[in-house]
Amino acid sequence: MTAPVRVLVIEDDFRVAGLHCDIVAERPGFVALEPARTLADAATAIRAEHPDLLLVDAFLPDGDGVAFIRDVGVDAFVLSAATDARTVRRALRSGALGYLVKPFARRALTDLLDHYLRFRNILDDDRAVTQEDIDRGLAILRAGGDTPSVSRSATEQVLLEALGDAESSASEIADLAGVSRATAQRHLSTMAERGVVDVRLRYGTTGRPEHRYLRVRG
């Protein structure tokens, strides 16, 4: 029986790290290790746990995640909010197998993991490979970045997944999605205008009424 792929999430935001670990843990063939919040912790975890795959933020409190993956010699994907082309190119030059811009839809990471597992099975450490195998493996990884588009943005998908079927405030949704309240509020307002979510007012004992959001079904 093939051993599961051991995945180390390197992410300083504990909420985002938890979400990523949950996605990894739900995928057949993968095991999520305890996440690392700094590069120092990550280096210790790599020595102790010997992960097969890293999911690394580009910028950590104690250093550069991209430079880190260049030096550790472990398969890695960069998961980052950085959208400048220089960072993306530098990540790829440093050996990253792929790059996901945060926040992203849950499916984007599950697809990436599934493609990686197929890539790893083709380029198995214990056997020689042909040029055809190499070409197939690389094609599979490239397909991982080709997640089919849908009618709403990746950020909106993340927010809707965080909202689920509950009625929640923008702050609550932002915390679950791992984005800022301002980002959540902006996208929720847009979705409310399109009828994707309902907005309700909850009146407390003091202060202004709170906007509550509920997903529209059907």
Side-chain angles (χ1 to χ4, degrees), residues 130-194:
T130 65
Q131 184 63 54
E132 182 181 357
D133 291 330
I134 296 169
D135 292 343
R136 284 175 57 216
L138 292 175
I140 287 169
L141 277 184
R142 294 190 190 103
D146 245 352
T147 303
S149 62
V150 291
S151 59
R152 56 180 69 98
S153 73
T155 302
E156 288 183 5
Q157 291 181 60
V158 172
L159 294 173
L160 288 173
E161 288 169 2
L163 177 57
D165 292 321
E167 182 181 291
S168 303
S169 68
S171 295
E172 292 167 342
I173 297 166
D175 285 344
L176 289 171
V179 301
S180 70
R181 185 187 183 283
T183 296
Q185 183 69 65
R186 183 172 68 253
H187 285 278
L188 288 165
S189 296
T190 300
M191 286 190 284
E193 292 174 0
R194 299 206 315 268

Side-chain angles (χ1 to χ4, degrees), residues 17-28:
L19 288 171
H20 294 171
C21 284
D22 288 346
I23 293 171
V24 171
E26 291 171 1
R27 302 308 298 164

